[in-house]
Amino acid sequence: MKPRLWIHGCFLVLVPIGILARRLVTGSWLPPQAISPAVYLLTQWTAFPLYLLRAVVPFDPSFYRYHPPAPWPPDLPTLCWAATTLAIVILAVWLRRRAPEWSFAVAWLAAGLLPSSSIVSL
């Protein structure tokens, strides 16, 4: 592991260097947010079942398809998708002992989507 440590270190150093370079060139750490964080979080929450469906049943060659921002106040379809996400989360927690692979898959999908799509609404 030690002989390759410097290679991994170089890649890890690239992230802060890139963020710092963006700050120096543009004057901001990240691009401005496209929509409010609350609406973006609701949009991501309601889109989670579709991401899970695409991961389980690969009927679409693209994992991501544009999801329009959720309306505020939420309409009936938005509330239904939000309830579906809540049911998936509750089921994953409830089945963590009987079906740990499925619970792990749900948690892993959420963890994988979080940094790329939910922390900053670009």
Side-chain angles (χ1 to χ4, degrees):
M1 172 99 176
K2 273 192 175 186
R4 290 183 279 167
L5 190 59
W6 69 275
I7 294 173
H8 298 291
C10 291
F11 283 114
L12 291 174
V13 169
L14 281 177
V15 174
I17 288 173
I19 292 173
L20 183 61
R22 185 185 199 303
R23 172 74 172 175
L24 293 173
V25 172
T26 65
S28 66
W29 293 106
L30 293 170
Q33 294 189 341
I35 58 177
S36 77
V39 170
Y40 196 75
L41 181 62
L42 179 63
T43 302
Q44 292 303 308
W45 182 264
T46 58
F48 185 79
L50 299 173
Y51 284 121
L52 184 63
L53 181 63
R54 284 188 191 106
V56 172
V57 182
F59 61 89
D60 192 349
S62 175
F63 182 66
Y64 170 76
R65 290 287 181 214
Y66 175 75
H67 297 286
W72 191 258
D75 56 4
L76 184 61
T78 302
L79 291 174
C80 289
W81 284 115
T84 303
T85 301
L86 183 61
I88 290 169
V89 169
I90 290 170
L91 191 63
V93 170
W94 185 61
L95 291 175
R96 72 183 183 278
R97 301 254 190 249
R98 284 178 262 167
E101 298 87 3
W102 188 82
S103 294
F104 179 77
V106 170
W108 190 255
L109 179 63
L113 290 172
L114 186 64
S116 65
S117 65
S118 297
I119 292 176
V120 178
S121 54
L122 302 176

